[in-house]
Amino acid sequence: MIPGPARVILLLTSAALLLAGCGLDSPMTTVEPKSDLGRAIHELFMNISGWALLIFVVVEALLIGVVFAFRDRPGREEPRATHGHLGLEIAWTLVPVIIVIAIAVPTIATIFKTNARPPREALAIEVTGHQWWWEVRYPELGIVTANEIHLPVGRAVSLSLKTADVLHSFWVPQLGGKRDLIGGKLNNLTFTADVPGEYPGQCAEFCGVSHANMRLLVVAQSTADFEAWAGRLKAPPAPPSGEAAKGHQAFLAGGCVACHTIQGVAAGVLGPDLTHIGGRKTLAAGILKNTPDDLARWLKDPPATKPGALMPKLGLTDDQVAALVAYLRSLK
Amino acid sequence: MTRGVWGWITTVDHKRIGILYGVTAFVFLLVGGFEAALIRLQLARPDGAVVSAGTYNELFTMHGTTMVFLAVMPLNAAFFNYIVPLMLGARDVAFPRLNALSYWIFLFGSLFLNASFFVNAAPNAGWFGYANLTAKQFSPGANIDFWVISLQLLGVSSLIAGFNFIVTILNMRAPGMTFMRMPVFVWMTLVTQFLIVLAFPVITVGLILLLFDRFFGTNFYNPGAGGNPLLWQHLFWLFGHPEVYILILPAMGIVSEVLPTFARKPLFGYPVVVYSGMLIGLFGFGVWSHHMFTVGLGAVVDSAFAVGTMLIGIPTGVKIFNWIATLWGGRIRLTTALWFALGFIAMFLMGGLSGIMHASPPVDMQQQDSYFVVAHLHYVLVGGSLFGIFAGLYYWWPKMTGRMLSERAGRWNFWLMFVGFNVTFFPMHFLGLLGMPRRIYTYAGGLGWDLWNLVSTVGVFILALGILVFIGNAVASLRSAAPAPADPWDGRTLEWAVSSPPPEYNFRNIPTVHHRDELWALKAGRAPVEAAPPPPREIHLPPPSFYPIVVAAGVVLAATGALTHLALVVAGALVVVFGAYRWAFEYRSSLGGGLRPPSDASPRGLRGQSPRSSGPR
């Protein structure tokens, strides 16, 4: 039998392990925010957690203490039958009322702050969820890309969120909370990243068989780096040569053009835009690194990596795969 | 009482139906637990390969659906059935045959739902089944059809039971049992049944719209054709949030019975505990949108639902304080039932506190659909509901079986479950805060999630060991344990006034109630000891009936037809009409039949017979 104190020990151990865990690399953590939105949420979270911890300690201590103090022992008298106490009832109704007010006031303030209209100078980005990848457009810059969002630190970004099929939810934990992508509804998420870095995110609304494989990467960078990136994406990729030229032919000859867009080459709309895929950090909605090996693996059998993927196993030969890898990697 | 299998099939005895509910639900608890174990094995390590993505999605969908509808709800129903009529001083529920019908539809609906595994089409869109993923376009198989139709069947079963118990509690109370003398478990049952009859029609509507979308090509939830997927979310959670209280209020009722018995004190603040339960039930209908804080409903809506949700913390807190005050000054006997009740308070509190966190919409923007919420809901439904149910099992087992459970094994059972539960679910708080979303069948390493997932998976096996100890304890008890006396715990309420198990007719003479804790008052000499009236010459009990199972079979035949062939729907409807017709005229031939109670008079009108007497046949 484990005595009451063992529970406390268990909790303390857990807390110690949590602290140890914080030292580990956790790129999707919610407790080290890197944006104004994330900080506002975290501040409120810490506020409410403080109250929760206080209530937890007081009530659990009371419970354990009462059970210990009044446990049956030889010689203990038959208890008096007390039926209630009005003063106590009022007191322990008022205490939660006060705590609820203490939590509700900053909550409502933060709700209105985080739902404010995006500022006029915000960078507009349109994010469209697909089963199971993210389409990303910068209407002001004329950039179309997928699964990787670049944004400048220090400038608000206004994400317009919509879906091409089922519900999804946009969530990059270090940059703040999530917002759902809902058919027939245009949603918005506005925040300002304030620390440069790469922040992984993931779809947070169950969206079918490969829900777990719908990831994304946000790259927050200095204004100069962002402009350089935008400049690169606005320009068409360099014409292919050598092995890449063979890949270019394979791309045209194979079924690729039916689904994918490469500026000046193909205009399919079912799959992600590949115009600058060679410059992206990840493949297949954040589940593979953008290396020649992983790209080849993907091309050979997409559903093996992402169950249910719309892109079928095309039955490409090793030569074709090698050529396509060279071509796609040249698209920077 | 008819013996053998036939006796169980045709029974209308609330006690037998209670046992049927309990055994069936316990089997499904094991099924749901097995699904959970597979889920945890898959997630023990990054890039797990125990099951495929498709299977994983079926597992978490079926785990949620099973635990809510096939395990926790019917485990509670087992106690409603067995205990409530006894607590009320009644001979049975108001509509005994409807009670049997409710059970058979539940059983067949559960089997129907699980049959989907055998045709490789288990539901796979989550227990919440969000539109428009459930549309034919995105879920073309029969998976969602199984889910829709099973939930409709289970809803019918719950609604029948709901009305039955409302009428029973309102009309079948023994003389003198005013509302404010009813045991709190009866009160919480009553509130739960009102929640059921008000909440289930909402999901029924939602499911019918979905069924039309899938079977007849309507577009209620299709945004591409002017429909709205958010309509489903509103309907689902307008049902789904009261459903949470449907799962937890009975456990609160159990705890409110167990604590006074083992502290040897009346429940502190009885009226406040009762009103708090009602308030929780009432508020439960006004907070559904807190499941939708990431939908973007706007600042005003989010604020209103946030405040409404936080308000529920007040009556809940009041209940916890009253429970602790009940223990205060008591002579606390640390039985297994009490350990589980204490575990309930300690763990439910934690679930409540994490609930207050995501009652705050901005905080919920981070926690929604993350493992933090998974931790929260399991603290409420396992640490809360299930621990409450186990408190009830250990408390009422002697009454229901006539045998004692081993307290020594009980303690192992409790502590293994308690530690296993916390090792499984506490780390999920960390996982959620570290950004792990729910419902993902795989994750990459290097996100800081590996350790906690492994710890959590280890915890499942400790938890399972605790359940195994319970099974062993139960088997040993039924095989060889000492017979239970009528009143093994020195109880306070009427069920302890009759033998264990009670005779088929429960009370030889319907008792007259003078006190809230009638039996306790009687034992303390505070209730008038009336001269035992002469035992009635005969007691009329409804005879066994075959028609509830016939009607239920017809309903399920029709449901099967919905997935296969129209002819079966027609056949099922005909069976229902036939069964209902025969049912309606069944009693014509059996009126006047009654049971003759034994003639040995007990000194008090309340006392049943000596233990282990099973009554006349």
Side-chain angles (χ1 to χ4, degrees), chain B residues 262-287:
Chain B
F262 294 110
R264 305 180 66 77
K265 278 180 69 210
L267 183 68
F268 196 89
Y270 169 97
V272 183
V273 173
V274 169
Y275 295 144
S276 300
M278 289 190 213
L279 274 180
I280 291 171
L282 189 70
F283 288 173
F285 278 99
V287 298

Side-chain angles (χ1 to χ4, degrees), chain A:
Chain A
M1 199 173 93
I2 301 173
R7 276 185 260 178
V8 182
I9 294 167
L10 190 72
L11 282 171
L12 287 178
T13 320
S14 308
L17 284 167
L18 173 65
L19 290 177
C22 283
L24 298 171
D25 196 23
S26 41
M28 283 177 69
T29 179
T30 63
V31 295
E32 289 164 29
K34 304 291 194 306
S35 77
D36 58 341
L37 174 65
R39 282 175 215 287
I41 292 173
H42 187 60
E43 195 181 316
L44 187 60
F45 167 70
M46 292 306 283
N47 179 347
I48 298 177
S49 297
W51 284 108
L53 192 67
L54 178 72
I55 300 169
F56 172 79
V57 169
V58 169
V59 178
E60 301 282 8
L62 198 62
L63 179 66
I64 294 168
V66 167
V67 171
F68 185 77
F70 296 104
R71 72 193 188 282
D72 191 14
R73 274 175 302 181
R76 186 179 285 290
E77 286 171 22
E78 194 61 18
R80 232 161 30 91
T82 43
H83 289 273
H85 188 284
L86 185 63
L88 277 176
E89 299 289 352
I90 292 172
W92 61 48
T93 307
L94 283 181
V95 170
V97 168
I98 291 165
I99 295 175
V100 163
I101 293 171
I103 291 171
V105 169
T107 288
I108 292 173
T110 311
I111 291 173
F112 280 87
K113 197 161 95 183
T114 52
N115 275 280
R117 270 171 198 281
R120 198 181 297 271
E121 72 279 7
L123 174 67
I125 306 176
E126 294 173 6
V127 178
T128 307
H130 296 257
Q131 280 180 322
W132 292 275
W133 59 280
W134 307 85
E135 178 185 340
V136 182
R137 290 172 181 269
Y138 296 73
E140 295 155 24
L141 305 174
I143 293 173
V144 183
T145 179
N147 303 324
E148 188 171 304
I149 300 176
H150 287 244
L151 46 84
V153 294
R155 180 178 171 191
V157 291
S158 166
L159 302 182
S160 299
L161 305 170
K162 54 189 180 179
T163 174
D165 38 55
V166 302
L167 307 193
H168 303 280
S169 190
F170 180 91
W171 190 28
V172 182
Q174 290 207 65
L175 296 178
K178 60 186 74 66
R179 185 75 81 198
D180 298 350
L181 284 59
I182 298 164
K185 184 176 190 332
L186 184 64
N187 261 340
N188 180 274
L189 188 68
T190 301
F191 59 86
T192 309
D194 45 26
V195 181
E198 292 180 11
Y199 305 115
Q202 186 157 0
C203 175
E205 185 69 84
F206 182 65
C207 57
V209 64
S210 262
H211 165 59
N213 296 321
M214 185 166 168
R215 306 175 198 165
L216 78 157
L217 186 69
V218 173
V219 182
Q221 46 202 171
S222 68
T223 309
D225 288 350
F226 175 74
E227 308 246 296
W229 172 84
R232 184 161 64 72
L233 260 74
K234 275 191 272 192
S241 59
E243 181 77 359
K246 266 166 59 189
H248 175 77
Q249 288 308 316
F251 189 88
L252 291 174
C256 315
V257 291
C259 297
H260 293 285
T261 291
I262 293 178
Q263 257 178 55
V265 177
V269 293
L270 291 176
D273 186 302
L274 302 177
T275 306
H276 295 92
I277 188 171
R280 286 187 212 149
K281 294 174 191 299
T282 66
L283 294 172
I287 57 179
L288 296 175
K289 291 209 161 49
N290 194 356
T291 62
D293 285 351
D294 276 0
L295 181 54
R297 190 176 132 204
W298 172 258
L299 289 172
K300 278 179 193 154
D301 190 355
T305 309
K306 189 188 275 190
L310 201 54
M311 180 167 167
K313 188 174 174 178
L314 293 165
L316 300 168
T317 65
D318 286 351
D319 284 351
Q320 285 171 313
V321 169
L324 280 168
V325 168
Y327 173 54
L328 292 172
R329 288 186 60 78
S330 77
L331 301 173
K332 299 218 167 154

Side-chain angles (χ1 to χ4, degrees), chain B residues 169-180:
Chain B
I169 294 170
L170 295 184
N171 288 345
M172 308 281 283
R173 284 167 291 139
M177 180 167 283
T178 58
F179 281 119
M180 293 314 271

Side-chain angles (χ1 to χ4, degrees), chain B residues 327 442 585:
Chain B
L327 294 168
T442 186
F585 295 103

